[in-house]
Structures are given as C-alpha cells and as structure tokens.
Amino acid sequence: MEKVNLKNFDFKELENWVKEQGWQKFRAKQLAKWLYNKKVSSFDEMTDLSKDIRNQLKEKADINALELITFEKSKEDGSIKFLWRLHDGHTIESVFIPEKGHNTLCISTQVGCAVGCKFCFTTKDGLIRNLTTAEIVDQYIQSQRFVGLEPEKRISNIVYMGMGEPLANYENVKKSVRIFTDDKMAGLSNRKITISSSGIIHQILKMYEDKEFPQVRLAVSLNAADQKTREKIMPISETNTLEDLMKTLNKLPVKTGYRIMLEYVLIKDVNDSPKDAHKLARLIGKNKKRYKVNLIPFNPYPGSPYQRPDKERVDQFHKILWQYNIGAFVRWSKGQDISAACGQLRKKDLETSFITKASLNKN
Ligand code: SF4
C-alpha cells in the first residue's frame, strides 16, 4: 500500500482521511497540532496518540517530504539558505531571512522554471516538475525546526519567491496557502504571505476569482516600464503584454493592507535610466495607492550577462519615483554572499557549490 503524506492534506482532507481510518474526528486536530504547531518530524513524538494509532500511522502515512542536504549561513546578515533533496533526487532551496521584529521564509514551488526570465539563474535548465503541497509546506516546517522554535525565531512571513512560478503550480500552491493560513494548521496571517508571479494574467485572475484561494498579497515582477524592454528580459511578456497586465492589475479588487507589489529588478543599462523611472511613474499613473514598488538591484551570478547598477543610479531611480509620490523601496537583497538573493536560486550544481564551502557553521 502506498503511503500518503499528511502534509498534502488541508484540514478537511485530513479529517476525511482520519474518518476513513475509523478514528474519531478529533484525531485530525491532534495530528494538525503535532505537525504544524509542534512541528515534529516523527510519529513517535506524537505522545498523546496511543501506540496502536502511532503504529498504524507509521504503516500508512509519511510526514516528511524533504531531506536537508546542507545549509549555508550568511556572515553578512544571518540569512540561511537550505538545500533540500526530494524523494526523486531533485533538489530545491529555501531561504530564511531574519529581520527586525519578524522572520521571513522564501520558498520554492517548482524544480526549475519554464518562464525563462533572462536575468534569472533558476530557469537555466527549464522546468523539471511542480512541487507537491507537502514539498512546499515542509520547507516551512523543516526550516523552522532547524532555526529553532523559540518565539523570536518564529517564521511569520512567507514569500513565494524562490524557484519557480507559483501560479504555474496553481493547485498545490493554493492548498499550501490554505494550510499556512488555517488556524487549525499553521495559523499564519494572510497579510504576511506573498505570492510573487511573473505576470501570467489568466492565472492572476483565476486566483482572485477563486473563493477557495485565501486572500494573500500579490507581487508581480514588472522589471520594465515599456513593452519592448520587458519582452527583451521577460519573454512571457510576448503573450502577457505589459498593457494587458497593467489593465488587469488596475482592476483587481485590492483590500486595504493588500497593496500589490511591483517588483523591479534594476539592471545596468537595461532598465535603470532616469527615463525608465519616469516611464514607470507614468505607467502607474493615478493608481499609485494600489501599488508599492520594490526596486531590487540585480544580483550578478557566475556567467550572468547583466550587471548591477551602482548605488547612485539606484538612488536616482528611487528618488524619481518618490517625486511622483509613489511608495518605492530599495531592496538590497539579503544573503548575497551565499547566492540566496532574488533570482539566484538554482537546483543544479548546488550540491558541489555548497559542499565545497568549508565555512558551514550553524551558529
Ligand atoms: S524570475 Fe521567477 S518566473 Fe522568472 S524564470 Fe526565474 S523563477 Fe521563473
């Protein structure tokens, strides 16, 4: 009999599975508590379940979906990049980012990515496969176990900005969000979860129309303020044009506290000129209350065809947006010394690059 992974279930499904085993309904709550509150990694730790039930669970179910291969901690800012092995040998990454007053986990949703953004390291070998719900959820559980369960180490924010296009793995991402935001499960705040998309219009619309998709924040990788430049660095723009994308975003029902984040990777001599900044401001136009702009200076990786603009250029771009009263922030990516910054996560070659670093040190 093939085992089921309990982290693939939302609460309703967990209850149904518990019922199928002939157990009482409250067992679902008990299991959810052990998995998402106590974050245990074995059935033996579930001490308020009888030995008989624990033995049955061991026969029928799994709770771990990832195996930690290695990790690397940034000396600059304390962020930790994890490299996980999946059951079929593929590898993915997550990044824990400690910040003042809160901690964020950046998670992956696919092995590789089909979208093909020209500035991105993840997409170099295309898409291998989607992650299961359990593989998405377990990045949160195992990262939290690793950093510790003390309140100050608690992961409060989750950003779907690791490897992959989250909305291309729609069902599994949706279920993982349901698990993260369900009070009977992980119980995280909806406002602290951000899904970042490259701008697949029909999938964004689907998410907003889907009553079962909990409302979370949306971030969209814009990266250019005109169609020609965007097409050059984001081929997806050929079919999801900038004009259509902005029209769609301008009409989305956005609640207070859920402003859409426009991500803009600043690439030297590609999209970083003052003219580009003015164009971006005009593109946002009268909808400035609906958006926040994140300016992310490009992080060069080995062999990358692009460069990072210097600080003056970044500041100049930033200032122009503020002159238009647009809420814009510069995000100098965390974890640059361990290649954990935006667009630098990649499934292949990681094992060697990780393992050859002699400086691995949990503390
Ligand atoms: S930036 Fe995101 S969507 Fe674009 S190729 Fe990389 S992982 Fe895929």
Side-chain angles (χ1 to χ4, degrees):
M1 186 179 53
E2 211 184 312
K3 289 187 182 183
V4 295
N5 192 312
L6 299 187
K7 287 181 186 148
N8 275 321
F9 294 150
D10 63 18
F11 192 74
K12 193 91 221 119
E13 290 168 337
L14 187 61
E15 265 189 344
N16 288 342
W17 186 79
V18 158
K19 244 198 267 164
E20 278 167 28
Q21 311 314 307
W23 303 336
Q24 284 172 289
K25 223 169 144 187
F26 75 92
R27 296 285 179 208
K29 261 197 186 156
Q30 273 181 316
L31 283 168
K33 184 195 78 184
W34 285 113
L35 293 178
Y36 297 105
N37 190 333
K38 305 276 184 212
K39 300 180 176 69
V40 299
S41 61
S42 72
F43 291 117
D44 284 330
E45 290 166 83
M46 301 181 175
T47 46
D48 59 359
L49 299 178
S50 69
K51 201 152 181 229
D52 175 45
I53 288 194
R54 277 188 267 156
N55 284 338
Q56 288 188 56
L57 280 165
K58 279 186 220 168
E59 264 170 42
K60 296 171 179 172
D62 270 325
I63 50 173
N64 297 313
L66 309 171
E67 184 197 333
L68 181 63
I69 299 176
T70 187
F71 65 93
E72 205 171 341
K73 186 171 181 175
S74 164
K75 289 194 181 80
E76 280 172 18
D77 55 40
S79 55
I80 303 170
K81 180 165 74 168
F82 298 101
L83 178 67
W84 312 104
R85 194 189 335 265
L86 311 176
H87 69 90
D88 55 5
H90 288 305
T91 53
I92 53 155
E93 294 184 311
S94 329
V95 186
F96 172 80
I97 307 156
E99 288 170 286
K100 248 200 199 136
H102 68 277
N103 300 306
T104 300
L105 187 72
C106 173
I107 59 176
S108 296
T109 53
Q110 297 182 308
V111 182
C113 182
V115 174
C117 302
K118 299 286 186 220
F119 53 85
C120 174
F121 202 36
T122 301
T123 195
K124 295 290 172 220
D125 300 316
L127 173 69
I128 310 290
R129 72 167 173 85
N130 282 336
L131 297 190
T132 63
T133 303
E135 287 164 344
I136 298 171
V137 168
D138 214 15
Q139 293 173 62
Y140 159 70
I141 303 284
Q142 295 218 32
S143 301
Q144 186 72 83
R145 277 177 69 86
F146 183 91
V147 296
L149 300 181
E150 299 90 328
E152 69 277 12
K153 299 197 173 144
R154 196 178 154 254
I155 295 166
S156 51
N157 296 44
I158 291 189
V159 293
Y160 286 74
M161 289 184 188
M163 298 161 68
E165 160 57 62
L167 296 183
N169 183 9
Y170 188 88
E171 291 303 330
N172 292 332
V173 164
K174 171 169 132 183
K175 207 194 283 183
S176 69
V177 174
R178 289 165 62 83
I179 291 169
F180 286 143
T181 55
D182 189 331
D183 285 340
K184 296 182 286 310
M185 302 187 109
L188 298 174
S189 158
N190 293 49
R191 285 168 64 158
K192 299 201 168 160
I193 294 181
T194 303
I195 300 222
S196 175
S197 171
S198 56
I200 307 175
I201 295 170
H202 70 278
Q203 292 296 82
I204 293 175
L205 286 171
K206 184 174 168 186
M207 177 175 122
Y208 273 80
E209 282 159 12
D210 188 341
K211 299 262 181 300
E212 287 175 4
F213 205 123
Q215 167 138 38
V216 289
R217 286 172 183 269
L218 173 69
V220 175
S221 295
L222 205 66
N223 303 325
D226 65 83
Q227 176 64 18
K228 212 167 137 207
T229 311
R230 192 163 192 263
E231 237 177 74
K232 222 191 285 170
I233 52 177
M234 298 184 75
I236 192 164
S237 205
E238 288 166 24
T239 45
N240 293 261
T241 65
L242 185 61
E243 192 188 346
D244 290 346
L245 178 61
M246 289 310 290
K247 266 192 204 154
T248 307
L249 298 182
N250 285 339
K251 281 198 207 129
L252 289 179
V254 173
K255 276 201 213 151
T256 324
Y258 286 84
R259 277 211 255 177
I260 299 169
M261 255 183 276
L262 297 178
E263 312 268 56
Y264 195 105
V265 176
L266 283 162
I267 306 171
K268 189 177 173 190
D269 299 332
V270 174
N271 62 1
D272 66 334
S273 71
K275 206 171 143 203
D276 291 311
H278 286 289
K279 253 195 268 174
L280 177 58
R282 284 197 296 273
L283 186 71
I284 293 170
K286 58 179 177 2
N287 290 298
K288 51 190 142 205
K289 287 229 161 60
R290 166 175 288 266
Y291 301 111
K292 265 202 316 203
V293 178
N294 272 347
L295 299 171
I296 307 153
F298 175 68
N299 297 297
Y301 50 82
S304 84
Y306 300 118
Q307 275 124 44
R308 161 188 289 240
D310 56 34
K311 192 171 174 310
E312 288 71 48
R313 188 91 159 166
V314 173
D315 289 345
Q316 190 181 27
F317 198 104
H318 188 199
K319 217 168 130 195
I320 293 170
L321 295 182
W322 273 107
Q323 283 163 358
Y324 284 88
N325 282 326
I326 291 171
F329 304 87
V330 181
R331 305 275 181 228
W332 295 96
S333 293
K334 300 242 174 184
Q336 282 173 44
D337 58 328
I338 54 168
S339 293
C342 269
Q344 292 187 326
L345 303 186
R346 195 181 181 190
K347 58 151 193 66
K348 252 179 127 189
D349 308 329
L350 289 170
E351 266 174 77
T352 33
S353 78
F354 262 100
I355 288 159
T356 49
K357 299 239 161 131
S359 59
L360 291 186
N361 178 3
K362 185 175 174 182
N363 303 307

